[in-house]
mmCIF file of all heavy atoms in Angstrom:
data_model
loop_
_atom_site.group_PDB
_atom_site.id
_atom_site.type_symbol
_atom_site.label_atom_id
_atom_site.label_comp_id
_atom_site.label_asym_id
_atom_site.label_seq_id
_atom_site.Cartn_x
_atom_site.Cartn_y
_atom_site.Cartn_z
ATOM 1 N N SER A 246 28.073 25.278 -34.184
ATOM 2 C CA SER A 246 27.727 24.355 -35.262
ATOM 3 C C SER A 246 28.225 24.868 -36.606
ATOM 4 O O SER A 246 28.358 26.077 -36.811
ATOM 5 C CB SER A 246 26.204 24.176 -35.325
ATOM 6 O OG SER A 246 25.702 23.690 -34.098
ATOM 7 N N PRO A 247 28.500 23.950 -37.551
ATOM 8 C CA PRO A 247 28.857 24.385 -38.910
ATOM 9 C C PRO A 247 27.771 25.284 -39.491
ATOM 10 O O PRO A 247 26.576 25.073 -39.266
ATOM 11 C CB PRO A 247 28.950 23.064 -39.681
ATOM 12 C CG PRO A 247 29.238 22.035 -38.647
ATOM 13 C CD PRO A 247 28.525 22.489 -37.408
ATOM 14 N N GLU A 248 28.191 26.296 -40.224
ATOM 15 C CA GLU A 248 27.244 27.233 -40.815
ATOM 16 C C GLU A 248 27.524 27.385 -42.304
ATOM 17 O O GLU A 248 28.593 27.031 -42.791
ATOM 18 C CB GLU A 248 27.313 28.586 -40.114
ATOM 19 C CG GLU A 248 28.674 29.234 -40.154
ATOM 20 C CD GLU A 248 28.750 30.500 -39.312
ATOM 21 O OE1 GLU A 248 28.165 30.520 -38.216
ATOM 22 O OE2 GLU A 248 29.413 31.459 -39.755
ATOM 23 N N THR A 249 26.548 27.892 -43.006
ATOM 24 C CA THR A 249 26.685 28.043 -44.448
ATOM 25 C C THR A 249 27.296 29.392 -44.806
ATOM 26 O O THR A 249 27.016 30.406 -44.166
ATOM 27 C CB THR A 249 25.319 27.883 -45.141
ATOM 28 O OG1 THR A 249 25.479 28.073 -46.543
ATOM 29 C CG2 THR A 249 24.301 28.875 -44.621
ATOM 30 N N ALA A 250 28.124 29.378 -45.840
ATOM 31 C CA ALA A 250 28.681 30.619 -46.371
ATOM 32 C C ALA A 250 27.788 31.187 -47.455
ATOM 33 O O ALA A 250 27.925 32.348 -47.835
ATOM 34 C CB ALA A 250 30.079 30.357 -46.930
ATOM 35 N N ALA A 251 26.868 30.358 -47.957
ATOM 36 C CA ALA A 251 26.005 30.760 -49.067
ATOM 37 C C ALA A 251 24.545 30.713 -48.646
ATOM 38 O O ALA A 251 24.168 29.958 -47.750
ATOM 39 C CB ALA A 251 26.231 29.839 -50.262
ATOM 40 N N CYS A 255 18.419 24.505 -48.086
ATOM 41 C CA CYS A 255 19.166 23.431 -47.431
ATOM 42 C C CYS A 255 18.481 22.095 -47.693
ATOM 43 O O CYS A 255 17.291 21.939 -47.408
ATOM 44 C CB CYS A 255 19.261 23.698 -45.933
ATOM 45 S SG CYS A 255 20.121 22.390 -45.023
ATOM 46 N N LEU A 256 19.237 21.136 -48.210
ATOM 47 C CA LEU A 256 18.772 19.770 -48.378
ATOM 48 C C LEU A 256 19.530 18.898 -47.385
ATOM 49 O O LEU A 256 20.743 18.670 -47.537
ATOM 50 C CB LEU A 256 19.027 19.256 -49.803
ATOM 51 C CG LEU A 256 18.061 19.690 -50.903
ATOM 52 C CD1 LEU A 256 18.205 21.174 -51.200
ATOM 53 C CD2 LEU A 256 18.284 18.862 -52.160
ATOM 54 N N VAL A 258 20.952 15.677 -45.725
ATOM 55 C CA VAL A 258 21.345 14.382 -46.270
ATOM 56 C C VAL A 258 21.401 13.336 -45.167
ATOM 57 O O VAL A 258 20.769 12.288 -45.257
ATOM 58 C CB VAL A 258 22.708 14.488 -46.987
ATOM 59 C CG1 VAL A 258 23.168 13.116 -47.482
ATOM 60 C CG2 VAL A 258 22.623 15.479 -48.146
ATOM 61 N N ALA A 259 22.152 13.606 -44.110
ATOM 62 C CA ALA A 259 22.276 12.658 -43.000
ATOM 63 C C ALA A 259 21.082 12.797 -42.059
ATOM 64 O O ALA A 259 20.405 13.822 -42.022
ATOM 65 C CB ALA A 259 23.583 12.906 -42.257
ATOM 66 N N GLY A 268 33.968 14.106 -42.599
ATOM 67 C CA GLY A 268 33.928 14.354 -44.028
ATOM 68 C C GLY A 268 32.644 13.923 -44.708
ATOM 69 O O GLY A 268 32.435 14.227 -45.892
ATOM 70 N N GLU A 269 31.770 13.212 -43.992
ATOM 71 C CA GLU A 269 30.501 12.772 -44.576
ATOM 72 C C GLU A 269 29.597 13.976 -44.825
ATOM 73 O O GLU A 269 29.532 14.901 -44.011
ATOM 74 C CB GLU A 269 29.825 11.784 -43.635
ATOM 75 C CG GLU A 269 28.483 11.250 -44.129
ATOM 76 C CD GLU A 269 27.881 10.233 -43.182
ATOM 77 O OE1 GLU A 269 28.622 9.655 -42.352
ATOM 78 O OE2 GLU A 269 26.653 10.005 -43.266
ATOM 79 N N THR A 270 28.885 13.953 -45.933
ATOM 80 C CA THR A 270 27.977 15.051 -46.255
ATOM 81 C C THR A 270 26.781 15.051 -45.311
ATOM 82 O O THR A 270 26.078 14.046 -45.173
ATOM 83 C CB THR A 270 27.482 14.942 -47.709
ATOM 84 O OG1 THR A 270 28.595 15.048 -48.591
ATOM 85 C CG2 THR A 270 26.481 16.044 -48.021
ATOM 86 N N LEU A 271 26.574 16.189 -44.646
ATOM 87 C CA LEU A 271 25.429 16.364 -43.758
ATOM 88 C C LEU A 271 24.281 17.063 -44.473
ATOM 89 O O LEU A 271 23.112 16.770 -44.226
ATOM 90 C CB LEU A 271 25.831 17.176 -42.526
ATOM 91 C CG LEU A 271 27.007 16.644 -41.705
ATOM 92 C CD1 LEU A 271 27.284 17.573 -40.525
ATOM 93 C CD2 LEU A 271 26.748 15.225 -41.230
ATOM 94 N N ALA A 272 24.619 18.025 -45.331
ATOM 95 C CA ALA A 272 23.589 18.790 -46.029
ATOM 96 C C ALA A 272 24.191 19.426 -47.271
ATOM 97 O O ALA A 272 25.401 19.664 -47.356
ATOM 98 C CB ALA A 272 23.014 19.869 -45.116
ATOM 99 N N GLU A 273 23.320 19.700 -48.224
ATOM 100 C CA GLU A 273 23.692 20.467 -49.415
ATOM 101 C C GLU A 273 22.958 21.800 -49.391
ATOM 102 O O GLU A 273 21.808 21.876 -48.960
ATOM 103 C CB GLU A 273 23.296 19.721 -50.688
ATOM 104 C CG GLU A 273 24.007 18.405 -50.904
ATOM 105 C CD GLU A 273 23.533 17.698 -52.166
ATOM 106 O OE1 GLU A 273 22.478 18.103 -52.727
ATOM 107 O OE2 GLU A 273 24.217 16.744 -52.578
ATOM 108 N N ILE A 274 23.632 22.841 -49.865
ATOM 109 C CA ILE A 274 23.001 24.140 -50.076
ATOM 110 C C ILE A 274 22.902 24.353 -51.585
ATOM 111 O O ILE A 274 23.910 24.298 -52.300
ATOM 112 C CB ILE A 274 23.804 25.290 -49.425
ATOM 113 C CG1 ILE A 274 24.118 24.969 -47.952
ATOM 114 C CG2 ILE A 274 23.039 26.597 -49.554
ATOM 115 C CD1 ILE A 274 22.911 24.755 -47.077
ATOM 116 N N LEU A 281 24.139 23.253 -56.984
ATOM 117 C CA LEU A 281 24.841 23.009 -55.723
ATOM 118 C C LEU A 281 25.867 24.115 -55.505
ATOM 119 O O LEU A 281 26.781 24.296 -56.331
ATOM 120 C CB LEU A 281 25.537 21.646 -55.759
ATOM 121 C CG LEU A 281 26.357 21.267 -54.519
ATOM 122 C CD1 LEU A 281 25.455 21.116 -53.302
ATOM 123 C CD2 LEU A 281 27.122 19.966 -54.766
ATOM 124 N N VAL A 282 25.745 24.867 -54.406
ATOM 125 C CA VAL A 282 26.669 25.964 -54.130
ATOM 126 C C VAL A 282 27.549 25.690 -52.918
ATOM 127 O O VAL A 282 28.581 26.353 -52.741
ATOM 128 C CB VAL A 282 25.910 27.297 -53.942
ATOM 129 C CG1 VAL A 282 25.235 27.706 -55.234
ATOM 130 C CG2 VAL A 282 24.886 27.201 -52.811
ATOM 131 N N GLU A 283 27.155 24.715 -52.098
ATOM 132 C CA GLU A 283 27.965 24.420 -50.902
ATOM 133 C C GLU A 283 27.579 23.060 -50.361
ATOM 134 O O GLU A 283 26.416 22.637 -50.463
ATOM 135 C CB GLU A 283 27.734 25.487 -49.832
ATOM 136 C CG GLU A 283 28.672 25.399 -48.649
ATOM 137 C CD GLU A 283 28.472 26.530 -47.649
ATOM 138 O OE1 GLU A 283 27.570 27.370 -47.875
ATOM 139 O OE2 GLU A 283 29.206 26.558 -46.645
ATOM 140 N N THR A 284 28.566 22.370 -49.793
ATOM 141 C CA THR A 284 28.327 21.097 -49.125
ATOM 142 C C THR A 284 28.796 21.217 -47.676
ATOM 143 O O THR A 284 29.927 21.648 -47.422
ATOM 144 C CB THR A 284 29.086 19.953 -49.823
ATOM 145 O OG1 THR A 284 28.637 19.856 -51.185
ATOM 146 C CG2 THR A 284 28.822 18.628 -49.128
ATOM 147 N N ILE A 285 27.937 20.869 -46.743
ATOM 148 C CA ILE A 285 28.270 20.885 -45.318
ATOM 149 C C ILE A 285 28.633 19.467 -44.908
ATOM 150 O O ILE A 285 27.842 18.533 -45.113
ATOM 151 C CB ILE A 285 27.080 21.392 -44.473
ATOM 152 C CG1 ILE A 285 26.589 22.756 -44.977
ATOM 153 C CG2 ILE A 285 27.473 21.454 -43.000
ATOM 154 C CD1 ILE A 285 27.598 23.866 -44.877
ATOM 155 N N VAL A 286 29.828 19.298 -44.334
ATOM 156 C CA VAL A 286 30.301 17.959 -43.985
ATOM 157 C C VAL A 286 30.549 17.863 -42.480
ATOM 158 O O VAL A 286 30.729 18.868 -41.784
ATOM 159 C CB VAL A 286 31.586 17.600 -44.752
ATOM 160 C CG1 VAL A 286 31.344 17.670 -46.258
ATOM 161 C CG2 VAL A 286 32.747 18.499 -44.338
ATOM 162 N N ALA A 287 30.571 16.632 -41.995
ATOM 163 C CA ALA A 287 30.852 16.382 -40.579
ATOM 164 C C ALA A 287 32.296 16.729 -40.270
ATOM 165 O O ALA A 287 33.205 16.290 -40.981
ATOM 166 C CB ALA A 287 30.573 14.925 -40.239
ATOM 167 N N PRO A 288 32.535 17.510 -39.213
ATOM 168 C CA PRO A 288 33.917 17.892 -38.883
ATOM 169 C C PRO A 288 34.718 16.761 -38.246
ATOM 170 O O PRO A 288 35.947 16.811 -38.233
ATOM 171 C CB PRO A 288 33.733 19.050 -37.898
ATOM 172 C CG PRO A 288 32.380 18.814 -37.287
ATOM 173 C CD PRO A 288 31.545 18.176 -38.347
ATOM 174 N N GLU A 306 24.077 31.113 -41.337
ATOM 175 C CA GLU A 306 23.154 30.365 -40.478
ATOM 176 C C GLU A 306 23.713 28.984 -40.154
ATOM 177 O O GLU A 306 24.417 28.360 -40.959
ATOM 178 C CB GLU A 306 21.787 30.243 -41.139
ATOM 179 C CG GLU A 306 21.016 31.540 -41.152
ATOM 180 C CD GLU A 306 19.536 31.319 -41.402
ATOM 181 O OE1 GLU A 306 19.163 31.062 -42.562
ATOM 182 O OE2 GLU A 306 18.749 31.396 -40.434
ATOM 183 N N LYS A 307 23.365 28.490 -38.955
ATOM 184 C CA LYS A 307 23.812 27.169 -38.520
ATOM 185 C C LYS A 307 23.052 26.101 -39.296
ATOM 186 O O LYS A 307 21.860 26.238 -39.581
ATOM 187 C CB LYS A 307 23.576 26.987 -37.023
ATOM 188 C CG LYS A 307 24.137 28.104 -36.144
ATOM 189 C CD LYS A 307 25.637 28.260 -36.292
ATOM 190 C CE LYS A 307 26.162 29.383 -35.397
ATOM 191 N NZ LYS A 307 27.605 29.621 -35.570
ATOM 192 N N ILE A 308 23.752 25.009 -39.604
ATOM 193 C CA ILE A 308 23.162 23.965 -40.432
ATOM 194 C C ILE A 308 23.071 22.638 -39.686
ATOM 195 O O ILE A 308 22.085 21.904 -39.824
ATOM 196 C CB ILE A 308 23.968 23.768 -41.730
ATOM 197 C CG1 ILE A 308 23.985 25.075 -42.529
ATOM 198 C CG2 ILE A 308 23.385 22.630 -42.570
ATOM 199 C CD1 ILE A 308 22.619 25.556 -42.964
ATOM 200 N N ALA A 309 24.073 22.283 -38.903
ATOM 201 C CA ALA A 309 24.108 20.972 -38.266
ATOM 202 C C ALA A 309 24.995 21.028 -37.028
ATOM 203 O O ALA A 309 25.820 21.929 -36.885
ATOM 204 C CB ALA A 309 24.645 19.921 -39.231
ATOM 205 N N MET A 310 24.800 20.069 -36.117
ATOM 206 C CA MET A 310 25.682 19.942 -34.958
ATOM 207 C C MET A 310 26.034 18.468 -34.780
ATOM 208 O O MET A 310 25.142 17.610 -34.795
ATOM 209 C CB MET A 310 25.001 20.470 -33.681
ATOM 210 C CG MET A 310 25.856 20.299 -32.421
ATOM 211 S SD MET A 310 25.117 21.034 -30.929
ATOM 212 C CE MET A 310 23.656 20.010 -30.712
#
Side-chain angles (χ1 to χ4, degrees):
S246 302
E248 59 187 39
T249 178
C255 178
L256 281 69
V258 176
E269 180 178 340
T270 298
L271 304 179
E273 296 178 346
I274 309 300
L281 178 65
V282 295
E283 189 176 2
T284 300
I285 306 297
V286 301
E306 288 198 284
K307 308 300 180 183
I308 300 298
M310 177 176 66

